[in-house]
Amino acid sequence: RAFAGDRPLLATISPNGDGFRERAAISFRLSEPARVRITVSKTLREPAVVWVRTGVYDKGRHVVHWAPQGVPARTYLVGLTAVDRAGNRTTLGATSAGHLRRGADRTPVVRVLGVDAGFERPSYDQGQNARLRIEADARQLTLQLFRAGPEQVTTTARNVMHGAAVSDPLLLPWQRWRNAAHRVRLRIPALPSGLYFAQLTAADGRIGYAPFVVRPPRLGTSRVAVIMPTNTWQAYNFRDEDGDGWGDTWYAGVSSVPVRLGRAFLDRGVPPKFRAYDVGFLRWLHETGREVDFLAEEDLERARTGDALAAAYDLIVFPGHTEYVTKKEYDVVERYRDLGGNLMFLSANNFFWQVERRGRTLRKIRKWRDLDRPEAALVGVQYLANDQGKRKGVYVVRSGATAPWVWERTGLLNGATFGHTHLGFGIEIDTTTRRSPRGTIVLAEVPEIYGPGYTAQMTYYETAAGAKVFAAGTLDFGGRARYKPVKRILSNLWDKLAQP
């Protein structure tokens, strides 16, 4: 039975053992006998085959079934290659997102449905009615809210979210919505500002997550704000909304595609790289008892001016990978710094691309450095290179004499190292430039992590207006917040930067 939005070249299945939508029927017709190879592939930047069927078929119509077991919920491309007795070859479908958008024949696509859910907005106020869009082939769902950070469980998988329950389970009869997406209105309880998620569980054990931020009652409820990288989460979201088999992201091969906000995430709804870059810091905040205001990036745009931010906060922390920012975001944060506001960047490659919000989509404009607003002038360092995490390195302390307060109670002196083989640092790295603010101190370095000329730098600078700005220089520093000596370094930084 068709799911809403299915069409001749898009079929939705939900192979969960209930006998309903268990397999996809792939139909093709041959004008003469041929050897046929059928593939099913998942796509990121390019296809990766997950299933193959090969056989010799006579002239006429044929049907092959794909009944997957245990594959992640997402869309999959169906490819077909036929070779006749004379060796002539016919291939069906686009081989890349760019190929498809240049007018190639549309490719048959199978969508494997899980429990797919996403809030229409990244953040909400207490008492506000939130709209949660759910797609699930289930007779009933159980919905429960959790707060991320207080959990006592280590997150080891990228498609799992742990947290502390903040609501009772709510049973949602879902039989009438098995064949279409449906929006549920959910009133946000009186919860402290934080990162939360809805967990939706089907009777067969399938789970989906939908994260959201609860904003503070007013800016400055706490004197420290933590900005979750909600733009970057969606920029890296490979979920395929239009059913063409390719993720609706700039990383699928076409940089001009608009990124739609409010989508469910792949990996059962967990934001990209959440386990690696965000969980550790959230748990460190809870374990050290630090009360902060949580904001989504859109909330920064709602701030009238940087002056309003400076009146509300002594410190603004960017714990994750805040790569994509609008002009309004850049303007208010820069003005906040110019007025003496303190900043802490616990990842790398921040404020790299200018994006523009058009309705509920993001469009990529240009790199900020190409607009003569290089990120190093704000952050202290800027993006240099990456190797997708193939190599990690250890920091070498360079500022034992110039900034000894950073290393207090860590036992680290000049030339000492921290980090080791499986807990090294890197992935993406930043370095100082001639546009780094005058007086920028290199606190530590990961020397030549990718070879000569590729050194990651951790930095700190102060301005005449009294602003104090820290930047980690590697992508996964904040994710290591609960490990020695990073947790002590963070405490030292917090004690200094969270002061007016």
Side-chain angles (χ1 to χ4, degrees):
R1 184 171 178 178
F3 193 85
D6 283 3
R7 50 187 186 263
L9 291 182
L10 173 64
T12 298
I13 62 174
S14 54
N16 61 337
D18 65 357
F20 187 62
R21 290 200 185 100
E22 293 293 321
R23 61 183 186 172
I26 303 162
S27 174
F28 61 95
R29 185 183 299 277
L30 299 175
S31 60
E32 59 181 302
R35 175 173 290 278
V36 176
R37 183 175 188 262
I38 300 171
T39 60
V40 175
S41 304
K42 68 176 183 179
T43 61
L44 291 174
R45 289 175 173 83
E46 56 187 32
V49 175
V50 300
W51 182 83
V52 179
R53 172 68 61 81
T54 303
V56 177
Y57 296 86
D58 291 331
K59 175 183 176 180
R61 182 175 178 273
H62 304 274
V63 178
V64 172
H65 291 97
W66 181 46
Q69 297 294 320
V71 300
R74 57 169 301 142
T75 55
Y76 294 84
L77 294 176
V78 178
L80 187 148
T81 300
V83 181
D84 67 13
R85 290 169 178 169
N88 300 307
R89 179 184 300 268
T90 299
T91 300
L92 172 71
T95 57
S96 70
H99 186 202
L100 175 68
R101 288 171 173 83
R102 287 193 297 270
D105 293 337
R106 290 184 63 82
T107 303
V109 175
V110 177
R111 180 187 180 200
V112 175
L113 185 65
V115 179
D116 303 340
F119 284 95
E120 291 187 346
R121 299 284 176 176
S123 65
Y124 295 95
D125 291 322
Q126 299 175 5
Q128 187 175 0
N129 286 325
R131 287 166 63 87
L132 176 62
R133 187 175 188 269
I134 304 171
E135 296 174 283
D137 175 5
R139 291 186 173 88
Q140 65 181 32
L141 297 169
T142 301
L143 185 154
Q144 190 170 16
L145 299 182
F146 293 81
R147 181 172 186 176
E151 67 270 15
Q152 300 299 311
V153 180
T154 300
T155 302
T156 58
R158 70 182 188 182
N159 65 346
V160 173
M161 295 187 79
H162 292 297
V166 295
S167 76
D168 294 329
L170 174 65
L171 189 63
L172 302 176
W174 209 253
Q175 182 72 34
R176 65 181 296 193
W177 306 112
R178 296 185 73 181
N179 302 313
H182 181 61
R183 287 173 173 83
V184 172
R185 190 174 68 177
L186 181 67
R187 190 171 182 83
I188 302 300
L191 298 168
S193 183
L195 181 71
Y196 295 84
F197 60 92
Q199 178 176 300
L200 295 131
T201 307
D204 59 21
R206 288 177 299 163
I207 292 176
Y209 306 99
F212 65 100
V213 171
V214 172
R215 300 189 289 258
R218 57 175 176 77
L219 292 183
T221 300
S222 297
R223 294 299 299 174
V224 177
V226 169
I227 315 299
M228 301 309 296
T230 46
N231 286 352
T232 301
W233 285 351
Q234 286 293 1
Y236 280 87
N237 185 2
F238 275 81
R239 180 176 168 84
D240 171 22
E241 290 281 300
D242 58 14
D244 65 6
W246 298 88
D248 302 330
T249 166
W250 303 314
Y251 293 89
V254 180
S255 62
S256 61
V257 63
V259 165
R260 194 172 76 79
L261 304 172
R263 290 179 293 163
F265 296 105
L266 291 187
D267 291 328
R268 303 199 298 180
V270 180
K273 306 297 184 181
F274 179 73
R275 177 179 65 89
Y277 305 159
D278 301 295
V279 170
F281 177 73
L282 294 173
R283 293 194 65 190
W284 176 83
L285 275 181
H286 177 75
E287 290 168 357
T288 56
R290 300 176 195 274
E291 298 295 331
V292 302
D293 285 358
F294 277 80
L295 302 175
E297 289 189 71
E298 286 187 28
D299 299 322
L300 273 181
E301 294 185 75
R302 294 190 186 98
R304 289 180 293 105
T305 61
D307 301 63
L309 283 181
Y313 298 113
D314 299 320
L315 170 64
I316 296 178
V317 182
F318 295 87
H321 182 26
T322 309
E323 182 176 356
Y324 297 96
V325 297
T326 64
K327 182 178 184 300
K328 178 66 178 295
E329 283 182 85
Y330 202 123
D331 288 348
V332 297
V333 172
E334 185 176 58
R335 174 64 176 167
Y336 167 84
R337 187 277 314 266
D338 292 346
L339 291 170
N342 301 328
L343 296 168
M344 191 184 297
F345 297 91
L346 301 183
S347 188
N349 196 1
N350 297 287
F351 286 57
F352 184 60
W353 283 99
Q354 182 191 10
V355 294
E356 183 179 85
R357 194 181 311 280
R358 299 182 187 175
R360 297 307 298 155
T361 65
L362 286 180
R363 294 181 181 270
K364 189 161 59 170
I365 308 301
R366 294 179 68 185
K367 297 174 185 175
W368 281 107
R369 61 185 70 173
D370 294 338
L371 295 164
D372 198 33
R373 295 183 73 180
E375 59 270 36
L378 173 66
V379 179
V381 285
Q382 66 187 36
Y383 173 70
L384 177 63
N386 81 82
D387 73 343
Q388 307 296 321
K390 297 183 179 70
R391 288 165 288 184
K392 297 290 188 73
V394 298
Y395 279 104
V396 181
V397 175
R398 303 297 193 200
S399 60
T402 53
W405 57 271
V406 176
W407 314 108
E408 286 179 1
R409 298 173 63 185
T410 66
L412 298 173
L413 303 173
N414 263 355
T417 62
F418 61 97
H420 48 83
T421 304
H422 90 277
L423 283 179
F425 300 91
I427 306 175
E428 296 185 8
I429 62 170
D430 291 349
T431 191
T432 54
T433 75
R434 62 182 181 83
R435 299 293 293 273
S436 299
R438 181 175 298 181
T440 297
I441 299 170
V442 176
L443 300 176
E445 294 181 321
V446 184
E448 299 188 341
I449 181 173
Y450 309 141
Y454 293 95
T455 291
Q457 294 182 314
M458 176 190 293
T459 58
Y460 173 80
Y461 72 87
E462 297 182 359
T463 70
K468 309 175 188 71
V469 180
F470 168 84
T474 60
L475 201 60
D476 49 356
F477 181 82
R480 303 277 190 258
R482 299 177 64 241
Y483 294 93
K484 294 180 180 180
V486 177
K487 62 181 180 179
R488 183 68 253 169
I489 295 170
L490 279 178
S491 292
N492 293 340
L493 288 164
W494 201 280
D495 289 345
K496 187 175 183 71
L497 274 64
Q499 304 301 318

